[in-house]
Amino acid sequence: MSHETTGIEYLFQDPKIHLDERVRDLVSRLTLEEKVESMLQYQPAIDRLGVAAYKHGTEAAHGIAWLGEATSFPHPVGLACTWDTELMRQIGSVIADEARVYYRRDPKLNGLTLWAPTVDMERDPRWGRNEEAYGEDPYLTGELSKELVKGIQGDHPVYLKAVATLKHFLGNNNEVDRGIGSSSIDPRNLREYYLRAFEKPFTEGGAQSMMTSYNLINGTPATLYHGVNDIVRGEWGMDGFVVSDAGDVMGIVNDHQYYDSHTPGVAESIRAGIDSITDDAELSKQAIREALAQGMLQEEDLDRALFHTFRVRFRLGEFDPAADNPYTSIGEEALMTEQARELSLRAAREQIVLLKNEHELLPLNPARCGKVAVIGTHGNEVYRDWYSGTLPYRVTPLEAIRAKLEGEDAKERVVYRDAKNRVTLTAANDGAKLAVDSSGEMRLSQDGEPTVLTMTDWGYGSVTLHDEHLGTYVTSDEETLRVTADEAYGWYVKEVFGLTPVGQGEHLWTTWNGKPVIAGTEGSLKVVEAEKSALNVVESNASTASTVSGQSQTFQVETVSDGLAEAIAAAQAADTAIVFVGNHPLINGKEENDRPGLELAASQQRLIEEVYRVNPNTIVVLTGSYPFSIPWVQEHIPAIVYTSHAGQEHGTAIADVLFGDYAPAGRLNMTWVQSEDQLGDIKDYDIIRGGRTYQYFEGESLYPFGHGLTYSPFEYNDLRTDAPKDSVKSIAALDAVDTLQVWVEVTNRGLAAGEEVVQLYVRPGASRVKRPLKTLCGFQRIRLEAGETRTVSFTIRMKDWAIWDVTRDCYCVESGEYTLLAGASSADIRLEHPVYVRGEVIPPRQAGRSIRAENFDDCSDIVLDESKEQREACVRPRTPQRSGWIAFHGVDMDTVSVVELQCRVSGDSSDATIELRLDAPDSEAVARVNVGNTGGAQAWVTLSEAVHSVSGTRDVYLLLSGEVRLAHFTLGANATEDSGFQA
């Protein structure tokens, strides 16, 4: 049958043709300029071919964002605390349904390629975007994000409901300097930790898109990183498309200063695997045109990228009859359904973690808890983060608690105190009072009553000011202030201010970006540049530095009502006090801003202490985007509950847990440390040597990874496997290629039904390298009735216990004994079971072969950087002023007669040297290579130096000093013949 008789004009319009052939046909019909235009996030319509306009990228971290009202779910950090894979798939399906609704409303602007989930590993709790990701463990992150991907993309064999975009590849876990900083990640950290979180969402979840990160990876901008093509496409077989983060392709020049112009950066990004550019459209298109003209790009490079993006659009059903695609029928009825609301509530309940419950203070009995004091800002608020959608409604904890105690005396039984101070502000120089009119205009006046503002202290010098009469917040622009904001929200949260005491009761008033607020002329308030005011007033005498040209620089803050005193009085008069504390998702930690510390705001800490002093029946509910350091609270407060910012059903879920209508079973997705002192540099990505995450942390945690209590005791029994007993080892044994079945019996010994998260870890035995203390290898969230016993099963692939063998550049399951650990957290292990794995013994390194410097076994004061002449990374001292070393354990020197050290190096200082030492970093040097200045950091040369005769199997240490980089080296007699060096 011809195309003419079927109404099909072009081959790509025929659904019966193989998908890849259809996509290639469409791309081949585009003109070169149409191809250039289609390389951007907003792909234009091509009317002559019947191709519609399309936008890549709809935010959907925990519900559809920025398009209108949509079902909201807890922060991803909270979703991870559910440890519930089935729940994640259902949430993904709801998100995709609602994306389809908005796409149907406006397909040009509301695309179906969703920017979620965030898969970045959270090895540091100070990361400003902690609420967006799934925690510190790659197995947990991989399993949860894999299921979310499946839910988003659907289970149809041909069509996708929507597309999941994994963010951000790779090593993106600090905000400060994210656009210029380099994440130094050696091969073992890379393969065993950072990549593993991304692998399953691709290989098992089938994710069709990925976004690169802002940072450099070992000196290479992430948009140019070879792992996009080599690993994600090559090893994992990802057949979708890769998108750059917003502004990051231009950031190669603007931020990284990697090139002097945009043309080579854009060209190299496309060749390195970027298929869709999220950036300045005109600059990007011009750079592509110039790259084509100069031969930096070929038309086939654009064809390859467009094949990836259009292939996904085909799978979304855009080019096929609607009747063929079951997802095109999704309409308005799928938006904010009752089922979606119930799922949101289920998620909000499941993510709550009971951190402590001394003397079984929880759950509260509505008939016996007496008068309840609900205290704190978070008790009557539901906050949004930057990637939250527009909530269709919100239930606060106060509302839900009052509903639990319904009746004529409910309002009398539940007393609420927000613990905020009500204040007035007065210009210090002339006593003019701040007043707000009905339009939100702010004036200073000598007459009339001042306006009382409610001040919320968020800690670390950040406050918000709210006019309760108007119901709006004080906000600022570059020059003025108004009381017109409905909430503290935005990319720049301009509702945040500083009120810094400067002596004699005066305060310096500053805006969100540190600009002083001063009293202008005729009663006005002005925002001025810092250099235009006496900012040194903090160090000077306020009485003499409080004015400039008659304009007051400082303000008196007078407390009209003391929120702390009111809270104490309410707690003292109550039978039970529930103190709500925590963070605001957009203050003191967000995208572009890492956290200033792990502690609660000082005012919140004092609130808890003072309430507990007058009422021992104090419960603390901690609402947070991240872990907190709360050792005093843990030591003194009898009951502590943690929840993320949980969306529309936030309050309902909390009240259900507090009053026992739902037994909490959430588990922490991150280690909570006692103090920030237990953490290293936030920019240190080496979790192995830095002792990060539960896998390597040897200190005493506040709460361990996987921790969470519930209202029923659960008993573990009979941990067993299907591995046959080895006649020699006398324990269960199997081969490295095998799959292991594991069973454990769990019994609910409580009087009510409850849920338990059964966790399975593996502890490796003797190894060639430093191994984790334990590693999560299985988990299940189960519900058991009172007295019920269930056998929980796990399927473990031995290959998942592999380490990355840096001596051979491959995964390796080492032979030896491993111990299975079953329990309720990484620290609460109930049962152990040994198994022997018949794997490999890693052989010694062979002298005479080229060894890549990045494949060290250990190091000190070293970072990985870029070697532009090859795809491998090089190593250099962390600072030129201090030497660093790399170690290579177990090098067999007897394979050749070692008489020479040959290095591929670059030097950028006259004192750049490399010394060869044996067995210890402080031993006497047996060779010294004077590198000097080779002409710059990327001017690579091969240098050799004689080595005193050595033999046996030795540990090799290379000491690097000055501005020197080492790519690879060889120890041998004829290094130039054997090493494969390039001159």
Side-chain angles (χ1 to χ4, degrees), residues 32 35-40 250 262-263 266-267 270 277 281-298 302:
L32 182 58
K35 292 177 182 179
V36 171
E37 295 271 348
S38 298
M39 288 296 298
L40 280 299
M250 297 298 109
H262 294 305
T263 301
V266 171
I270 294 170
I277 298 174
E282 294 308 315
L283 279 177
S284 300
K285 288 185 286 188
Q286 184 58 32
I288 294 173
R289 296 183 190 109
E290 291 175 0
L292 289 166
Q294 296 172 23
M296 294 182 184
L297 274 180
Q298 303 301 318
L302 303 188

PDB file of all heavy atoms in Angstrom, residues 32 35-40 250 262-263 266-267 270 277 281-298 302:
ATOM      1  N   LEU A  32      19.705  22.457   7.232  1.00  0.00           N
ATOM      2  CA  LEU A  32      20.767  22.670   8.215  1.00  0.00           C
ATOM      3  C   LEU A  32      20.340  23.723   9.234  1.00  0.00           C
ATOM      4  O   LEU A  32      20.590  23.562  10.448  1.00  0.00           O
ATOM      5  CB  LEU A  32      22.058  23.100   7.513  1.00  0.00           C
ATOM      6  CG  LEU A  32      23.264  23.306   8.432  1.00  0.00           C
ATOM      7  CD1 LEU A  32      23.587  22.034   9.215  1.00  0.00           C
ATOM      8  CD2 LEU A  32      24.488  23.754   7.621  1.00  0.00           C
ATOM      9  N   LYS A  35      17.980  22.269  11.685  1.00  0.00           N
ATOM     10  CA  LYS A  35      18.700  21.437  12.649  1.00  0.00           C
ATOM     11  C   LYS A  35      19.332  22.295  13.739  1.00  0.00           C
ATOM     12  O   LYS A  35      19.284  21.952  14.933  1.00  0.00           O
ATOM     13  CB  LYS A  35      19.770  20.601  11.934  1.00  0.00           C
ATOM     14  CG  LYS A  35      19.208  19.531  11.011  1.00  0.00           C
ATOM     15  CD  LYS A  35      20.307  18.779  10.259  1.00  0.00           C
ATOM     16  CE  LYS A  35      19.706  17.749   9.312  1.00  0.00           C
ATOM     17  NZ  LYS A  35      20.736  17.013   8.549  1.00  0.00           N
ATOM     18  N   VAL A  36      19.933  23.390  13.339  1.00  0.00           N
ATOM     19  CA  VAL A  36      20.531  24.307  14.319  1.00  0.00           C
ATOM     20  C   VAL A  36      19.460  24.800  15.284  1.00  0.00           C
ATOM     21  O   VAL A  36      19.650  24.790  16.515  1.00  0.00           O
ATOM     22  CB  VAL A  36      21.220  25.485  13.611  1.00  0.00           C
ATOM     23  CG1 VAL A  36      21.653  26.538  14.628  1.00  0.00           C
ATOM     24  CG2 VAL A  36      22.416  25.009  12.797  1.00  0.00           C
ATOM     25  N   GLU A  37      18.333  25.227  14.768  1.00  0.00           N
ATOM     26  CA  GLU A  37      17.235  25.748  15.593  1.00  0.00           C
ATOM     27  C   GLU A  37      16.708  24.678  16.554  1.00  0.00           C
ATOM     28  O   GLU A  37      16.266  24.994  17.663  1.00  0.00           O
ATOM     29  CB  GLU A  37      16.091  26.228  14.690  1.00  0.00           C
ATOM     30  CG  GLU A  37      16.423  27.411  13.809  1.00  0.00           C
ATOM     31  CD  GLU A  37      16.153  28.747  14.487  1.00  0.00           C
ATOM     32  OE1 GLU A  37      15.503  28.738  15.542  1.00  0.00           O
ATOM     33  OE2 GLU A  37      16.601  29.780  13.948  1.00  0.00           O
ATOM     34  N   SER A  38      16.778  23.427  16.146  1.00  0.00           N
ATOM     35  CA  SER A  38      16.197  22.349  16.944  1.00  0.00           C
ATOM     36  C   SER A  38      17.134  21.822  18.020  1.00  0.00           C
ATOM     37  O   SER A  38      16.765  20.912  18.768  1.00  0.00           O
ATOM     38  CB  SER A  38      15.775  21.192  16.024  1.00  0.00           C
ATOM     39  OG  SER A  38      14.777  21.613  15.120  1.00  0.00           O
ATOM     40  N   MET A  39      18.321  22.385  18.128  1.00  0.00           N
ATOM     41  CA  MET A  39      19.273  21.933  19.138  1.00  0.00           C
ATOM     42  C   MET A  39      19.007  22.552  20.506  1.00  0.00           C
ATOM     43  O   MET A  39      19.674  22.214  21.481  1.00  0.00           O
ATOM     44  CB  MET A  39      20.704  22.279  18.697  1.00  0.00           C
ATOM     45  CG  MET A  39      21.229  21.434  17.554  1.00  0.00           C
ATOM     46  SD  MET A  39      21.390  19.677  17.990  1.00  0.00           S
ATOM     47  CE  MET A  39      22.579  19.747  19.300  1.00  0.00           C
ATOM     48  N   LEU A  40      18.025  23.435  20.585  1.00  0.00           N
ATOM     49  CA  LEU A  40      17.737  24.154  21.827  1.00  0.00           C
ATOM     50  C   LEU A  40      16.598  23.520  22.612  1.00  0.00           C
ATOM     51  O   LEU A  40      15.854  22.691  22.082  1.00  0.00           O
ATOM     52  CB  LEU A  40      17.402  25.621  21.521  1.00  0.00           C
ATOM     53  CG  LEU A  40      18.576  26.584  21.275  1.00  0.00           C
ATOM     54  CD1 LEU A  40      19.475  26.681  22.484  1.00  0.00           C
ATOM     55  CD2 LEU A  40      19.371  26.210  20.039  1.00  0.00           C
ATOM     56  N   MET A 250      26.962  27.905  28.009  1.00  0.00           N
ATOM     57  CA  MET A 250      27.613  29.213  27.994  1.00  0.00           C
ATOM     58  C   MET A 250      28.539  29.368  29.203  1.00  0.00           C
ATOM     59  O   MET A 250      29.512  30.115  29.183  1.00  0.00           O
ATOM     60  CB  MET A 250      26.578  30.335  28.004  1.00  0.00           C
ATOM     61  CG  MET A 250      25.660  30.373  26.796  1.00  0.00           C
ATOM     62  SD  MET A 250      26.512  30.641  25.228  1.00  0.00           S
ATOM     63  CE  MET A 250      26.342  29.020  24.480  1.00  0.00           C
ATOM     64  N   HIS A 262      32.484  31.087  22.933  1.00  0.00           N
ATOM     65  CA  HIS A 262      31.450  30.071  23.080  1.00  0.00           C
ATOM     66  C   HIS A 262      31.525  28.989  22.006  1.00  0.00           C
ATOM     67  O   HIS A 262      31.059  27.867  22.232  1.00  0.00           O
ATOM     68  CB  HIS A 262      30.069  30.722  23.039  1.00  0.00           C
ATOM     69  CG  HIS A 262      29.794  31.627  24.193  1.00  0.00           C
ATOM     70  ND1 HIS A 262      29.904  31.232  25.498  1.00  0.00           N
ATOM     71  CD2 HIS A 262      29.407  32.934  24.236  1.00  0.00           C
ATOM     72  CE1 HIS A 262      29.599  32.237  26.298  1.00  0.00           C
ATOM     73  NE2 HIS A 262      29.303  33.279  25.562  1.00  0.00           N
ATOM     74  N   THR A 263      32.090  29.291  20.885  1.00  0.00           N
ATOM     75  CA  THR A 263      32.048  28.357  19.763  1.00  0.00           C
ATOM     76  C   THR A 263      32.674  27.000  20.078  1.00  0.00           C
ATOM     77  O   THR A 263      32.031  25.960  19.879  1.00  0.00           O
ATOM     78  CB  THR A 263      32.713  28.988  18.523  1.00  0.00           C
ATOM     79  OG1 THR A 263      32.019  30.196  18.206  1.00  0.00           O
ATOM     80  CG2 THR A 263      32.658  28.041  17.340  1.00  0.00           C
ATOM     81  N   VAL A 266      30.490  25.037  22.776  1.00  0.00           N
ATOM     82  CA  VAL A 266      29.243  24.490  22.252  1.00  0.00           C
ATOM     83  C   VAL A 266      29.534  23.288  21.365  1.00  0.00           C
ATOM     84  O   VAL A 266      28.869  22.243  21.465  1.00  0.00           O
ATOM     85  CB  VAL A 266      28.465  25.575  21.479  1.00  0.00           C
ATOM     86  CG1 VAL A 266      27.285  24.963  20.736  1.00  0.00           C
ATOM     87  CG2 VAL A 266      27.987  26.662  22.436  1.00  0.00           C
ATOM     88  N   ALA A 267      30.533  23.410  20.521  1.00  0.00           N
ATOM     89  CA  ALA A 267      30.869  22.310  19.609  1.00  0.00           C
ATOM     90  C   ALA A 267      31.299  21.081  20.389  1.00  0.00           C
ATOM     91  O   ALA A 267      30.841  19.956  20.122  1.00  0.00           O
ATOM     92  CB  ALA A 267      31.984  22.757  18.662  1.00  0.00           C
ATOM     93  N   ILE A 270      28.401  19.256  22.228  1.00  0.00           N
ATOM     94  CA  ILE A 270      27.573  18.415  21.353  1.00  0.00           C
ATOM     95  C   ILE A 270      28.307  17.129  21.016  1.00  0.00           C
ATOM     96  O   ILE A 270      27.724  16.039  21.056  1.00  0.00           O
ATOM     97  CB  ILE A 270      27.192  19.204  20.081  1.00  0.00           C
ATOM     98  CG1 ILE A 270      26.272  20.375  20.449  1.00  0.00           C
ATOM     99  CG2 ILE A 270      26.516  18.288  19.061  1.00  0.00           C
ATOM    100  CD1 ILE A 270      26.034  21.355  19.317  1.00  0.00           C
ATOM    101  N   ILE A 277      20.361  21.877  24.303  1.00  0.00           N
ATOM    102  CA  ILE A 277      21.048  22.949  25.023  1.00  0.00           C
ATOM    103  C   ILE A 277      20.028  23.836  25.712  1.00  0.00           C
ATOM    104  O   ILE A 277      19.157  24.425  25.065  1.00  0.00           O
ATOM    105  CB  ILE A 277      21.918  23.778  24.053  1.00  0.00           C
ATOM    106  CG1 ILE A 277      23.002  22.884  23.432  1.00  0.00           C
ATOM    107  CG2 ILE A 277      22.546  24.964  24.766  1.00  0.00           C
ATOM    108  CD1 ILE A 277      23.814  23.565  22.348  1.00  0.00           C
ATOM    109  N   ALA A 281      19.398  31.206  23.649  1.00  0.00           N
ATOM    110  CA  ALA A 281      19.117  30.609  22.347  1.00  0.00           C
ATOM    111  C   ALA A 281      19.952  31.229  21.234  1.00  0.00           C
ATOM    112  O   ALA A 281      20.556  30.509  20.428  1.00  0.00           O
ATOM    113  CB  ALA A 281      17.628  30.726  22.031  1.00  0.00           C
ATOM    114  N   GLU A 282      19.992  32.545  21.174  1.00  0.00           N
ATOM    115  CA  GLU A 282      20.687  33.192  20.064  1.00  0.00           C
ATOM    116  C   GLU A 282      22.190  32.952  20.130  1.00  0.00           C
ATOM    117  O   GLU A 282      22.833  32.677  19.109  1.00  0.00           O
ATOM    118  CB  GLU A 282      20.373  34.694  20.041  1.00  0.00           C
ATOM    119  CG  GLU A 282      18.911  34.999  19.730  1.00  0.00           C
ATOM    120  CD  GLU A 282      18.424  34.293  18.462  1.00  0.00           C
ATOM    121  OE1 GLU A 282      19.150  34.322  17.446  1.00  0.00           O
ATOM    122  OE2 GLU A 282      17.322  33.705  18.497  1.00  0.00           O
ATOM    123  N   LEU A 283      22.774  33.061  21.327  1.00  0.00           N
ATOM    124  CA  LEU A 283      24.199  32.797  21.467  1.00  0.00           C
ATOM    125  C   LEU A 283      24.530  31.358  21.098  1.00  0.00           C
ATOM    126  O   LEU A 283      25.530  31.086  20.427  1.00  0.00           O
ATOM    127  CB  LEU A 283      24.650  33.075  22.910  1.00  0.00           C
ATOM    128  CG  LEU A 283      24.920  34.525  23.300  1.00  0.00           C
ATOM    129  CD1 LEU A 283      25.292  34.615  24.773  1.00  0.00           C
ATOM    130  CD2 LEU A 283      26.035  35.115  22.442  1.00  0.00           C
ATOM    131  N   SER A 284      23.680  30.433  21.542  1.00  0.00           N
ATOM    132  CA  SER A 284      23.923  29.020  21.267  1.00  0.00           C
ATOM    133  C   SER A 284      23.848  28.736  19.771  1.00  0.00           C
ATOM    134  O   SER A 284      24.706  28.036  19.209  1.00  0.00           O
ATOM    135  CB  SER A 284      22.911  28.158  22.020  1.00  0.00           C
ATOM    136  OG  SER A 284      23.010  28.354  23.418  1.00  0.00           O
ATOM    137  N   LYS A 285      22.817  29.253  19.120  1.00  0.00           N
ATOM    138  CA  LYS A 285      22.662  28.994  17.679  1.00  0.00           C
ATOM    139  C   LYS A 285      23.811  29.617  16.883  1.00  0.00           C
ATOM    140  O   LYS A 285      24.315  28.999  15.937  1.00  0.00           O
ATOM    141  CB  LYS A 285      21.307  29.515  17.204  1.00  0.00           C
ATOM    142  CG  LYS A 285      20.138  28.676  17.694  1.00  0.00           C
ATOM    143  CD  LYS A 285      18.813  29.131  17.115  1.00  0.00           C
ATOM    144  CE  LYS A 285      18.333  30.426  17.733  1.00  0.00           C
ATOM    145  NZ  LYS A 285      16.950  30.768  17.312  1.00  0.00           N
ATOM    146  N   GLN A 286      24.213  30.815  17.287  1.00  0.00           N
ATOM    147  CA  GLN A 286      25.322  31.462  16.577  1.00  0.00           C
ATOM    148  C   GLN A 286      26.605  30.659  16.745  1.00  0.00           C
ATOM    149  O   GLN A 286      27.376  30.490  15.790  1.00  0.00           O
ATOM    150  CB  GLN A 286      25.515  32.892  17.098  1.00  0.00           C
ATOM    151  CG  GLN A 286      26.582  33.692  16.353  1.00  0.00           C
ATOM    152  CD  GLN A 286      26.290  33.806  14.865  1.00  0.00           C
ATOM    153  OE1 GLN A 286      25.128  33.838  14.438  1.00  0.00           O
ATOM    154  NE2 GLN A 286      27.349  33.854  14.050  1.00  0.00           N
ATOM    155  N   ALA A 287      26.823  30.124  17.958  1.00  0.00           N
ATOM    156  CA  ALA A 287      28.022  29.323  18.196  1.00  0.00           C
ATOM    157  C   ALA A 287      27.988  28.038  17.369  1.00  0.00           C
ATOM    158  O   ALA A 287      29.027  27.598  16.851  1.00  0.00           O
ATOM    159  CB  ALA A 287      28.141  28.999  19.680  1.00  0.00           C
ATOM    160  N   ILE A 288      26.818  27.426  17.229  1.00  0.00           N
ATOM    161  CA  ILE A 288      26.705  26.208  16.414  1.00  0.00           C
ATOM    162  C   ILE A 288      27.008  26.529  14.951  1.00  0.00           C
ATOM    163  O   ILE A 288      27.745  25.796  14.279  1.00  0.00           O
ATOM    164  CB  ILE A 288      25.304  25.587  16.558  1.00  0.00           C
ATOM    165  CG1 ILE A 288      25.082  25.071  17.983  1.00  0.00           C
ATOM    166  CG2 ILE A 288      25.128  24.442  15.555  1.00  0.00           C
ATOM    167  CD1 ILE A 288      23.667  24.602  18.258  1.00  0.00           C
ATOM    168  N   ARG A 289      26.455  27.635  14.456  1.00  0.00           N
ATOM    169  CA  ARG A 289      26.715  28.019  13.061  1.00  0.00           C
ATOM    170  C   ARG A 289      28.205  28.254  12.830  1.00  0.00           C
ATOM    171  O   ARG A 289      28.779  27.819  11.826  1.00  0.00           O
ATOM    172  CB  ARG A 289      25.914  29.277  12.703  1.00  0.00           C
ATOM    173  CG  ARG A 289      24.402  29.101  12.748  1.00  0.00           C
ATOM    174  CD  ARG A 289      23.685  30.370  12.308  1.00  0.00           C
ATOM    175  NE  ARG A 289      22.260  30.303  12.562  1.00  0.00           N
ATOM    176  CZ  ARG A 289      21.631  31.018  13.509  1.00  0.00           C
ATOM    177  NH1 ARG A 289      22.309  31.866  14.268  1.00  0.00           N
ATOM    178  NH2 ARG A 289      20.328  30.891  13.685  1.00  0.00           N
ATOM    179  N   GLU A 290      28.847  28.959  13.764  1.00  0.00           N
ATOM    180  CA  GLU A 290      30.282  29.226  13.616  1.00  0.00           C
ATOM    181  C   GLU A 290      31.089  27.929  13.688  1.00  0.00           C
ATOM    182  O   GLU A 290      32.066  27.759  12.944  1.00  0.00           O
ATOM    183  CB  GLU A 290      30.741  30.195  14.702  1.00  0.00           C
ATOM    184  CG  GLU A 290      30.195  31.599  14.541  1.00  0.00           C
ATOM    185  CD  GLU A 290      30.568  32.503  15.709  1.00  0.00           C
ATOM    186  OE1 GLU A 290      31.249  32.024  16.648  1.00  0.00           O
ATOM    187  OE2 GLU A 290      30.189  33.693  15.689  1.00  0.00           O
ATOM    188  N   ALA A 291      30.683  27.015  14.579  1.00  0.00           N
ATOM    189  CA  ALA A 291      31.402  25.745  14.700  1.00  0.00           C
ATOM    190  C   ALA A 291      31.287  24.927  13.421  1.00  0.00           C
ATOM    191  O   ALA A 291      32.253  24.271  12.997  1.00  0.00           O
ATOM    192  CB  ALA A 291      30.848  24.963  15.887  1.00  0.00           C
ATOM    193  N   LEU A 292      30.125  24.965  12.785  1.00  0.00           N
ATOM    194  CA  LEU A 292      29.951  24.267  11.517  1.00  0.00           C
ATOM    195  C   LEU A 292      30.821  24.899  10.431  1.00  0.00           C
ATOM    196  O   LEU A 292      31.484  24.199   9.655  1.00  0.00           O
ATOM    197  CB  LEU A 292      28.477  24.303  11.098  1.00  0.00           C
ATOM    198  CG  LEU A 292      27.515  23.436  11.920  1.00  0.00           C
ATOM    199  CD1 LEU A 292      26.067  23.828  11.619  1.00  0.00           C
ATOM    200  CD2 LEU A 292      27.723  21.943  11.631  1.00  0.00           C
ATOM    201  N   ALA A 293      30.841  26.215  10.405  1.00  0.00           N
ATOM    202  CA  ALA A 293      31.607  26.924   9.382  1.00  0.00           C
ATOM    203  C   ALA A 293      33.107  26.688   9.551  1.00  0.00           C
ATOM    204  O   ALA A 293      33.855  26.623   8.556  1.00  0.00           O
ATOM    205  CB  ALA A 293      31.292  28.416   9.428  1.00  0.00           C
ATOM    206  N   GLN A 294      33.547  26.559  10.802  1.00  0.00           N
ATOM    207  CA  GLN A 294      34.973  26.400  11.075  1.00  0.00           C
ATOM    208  C   GLN A 294      35.412  24.942  11.114  1.00  0.00           C
ATOM    209  O   GLN A 294      36.583  24.648  11.370  1.00  0.00           O
ATOM    210  CB  GLN A 294      35.319  27.083  12.403  1.00  0.00           C
ATOM    211  CG  GLN A 294      35.096  28.587  12.386  1.00  0.00           C
ATOM    212  CD  GLN A 294      35.264  29.218  13.765  1.00  0.00           C
ATOM    213  OE1 GLN A 294      35.930  28.661  14.642  1.00  0.00           O
ATOM    214  NE2 GLN A 294      34.664  30.384  13.965  1.00  0.00           N
ATOM    215  N   GLY A 295      34.483  24.009  10.919  1.00  0.00           N
ATOM    216  CA  GLY A 295      34.836  22.601  10.924  1.00  0.00           C
ATOM    217  C   GLY A 295      34.945  21.975  12.300  1.00  0.00           C
ATOM    218  O   GLY A 295      35.364  20.816  12.419  1.00  0.00           O
ATOM    219  N   MET A 296      34.567  22.718  13.346  1.00  0.00           N
ATOM    220  CA  MET A 296      34.573  22.135  14.688  1.00  0.00           C
ATOM    221  C   MET A 296      33.426  21.151  14.867  1.00  0.00           C
ATOM    222  O   MET A 296      33.503  20.246  15.707  1.00  0.00           O
ATOM    223  CB  MET A 296      34.448  23.241  15.751  1.00  0.00           C
ATOM    224  CG  MET A 296      35.607  24.186  15.822  1.00  0.00           C
ATOM    225  SD  MET A 296      35.355  25.389  17.155  1.00  0.00           S
ATOM    226  CE  MET A 296      36.783  26.443  16.929  1.00  0.00           C
ATOM    227  N   LEU A 297      32.348  21.366  14.120  1.00  0.00           N
ATOM    228  CA  LEU A 297      31.196  20.473  14.116  1.00  0.00           C
ATOM    229  C   LEU A 297      30.896  20.053  12.690  1.00  0.00           C
ATOM    230  O   LEU A 297      31.102  20.835  11.750  1.00  0.00           O
ATOM    231  CB  LEU A 297      29.957  21.173  14.690  1.00  0.00           C
ATOM    232  CG  LEU A 297      29.699  21.186  16.186  1.00  0.00           C
ATOM    233  CD1 LEU A 297      28.417  21.954  16.469  1.00  0.00           C
ATOM    234  CD2 LEU A 297      29.610  19.778  16.747  1.00  0.00           C
ATOM    235  N   GLN A 298      30.403  18.841  12.552  1.00  0.00           N
ATOM    236  CA  GLN A 298      29.913  18.376  11.265  1.00  0.00           C
ATOM    237  C   GLN A 298      28.391  18.234  11.354  1.00  0.00           C
ATOM    238  O   GLN A 298      27.831  18.099  12.448  1.00  0.00           O
ATOM    239  CB  GLN A 298      30.535  17.026  10.901  1.00  0.00           C
ATOM    240  CG  GLN A 298      32.053  17.033  10.876  1.00  0.00           C
ATOM    241  CD  GLN A 298      32.623  18.022   9.886  1.00  0.00           C
ATOM    242  OE1 GLN A 298      32.115  18.151   8.762  1.00  0.00           O
ATOM    243  NE2 GLN A 298      33.681  18.732  10.289  1.00  0.00           N
ATOM    244  N   LEU A 302      25.098  17.088  14.534  1.00  0.00           N
ATOM    245  CA  LEU A 302      23.739  17.554  14.826  1.00  0.00           C
ATOM    246  C   LEU A 302      22.735  16.437  14.568  1.00  0.00           C
ATOM    247  O   LEU A 302      21.781  16.276  15.346  1.00  0.00           O
ATOM    248  CB  LEU A 302      23.392  18.774  13.972  1.00  0.00           C
ATOM    249  CG  LEU A 302      24.309  19.998  14.063  1.00  0.00           C
ATOM    250  CD1 LEU A 302      23.680  21.172  13.302  1.00  0.00           C
ATOM    251  CD2 LEU A 302      24.570  20.390  15.503  1.00  0.00           C
TER     252      LEU A 302
END
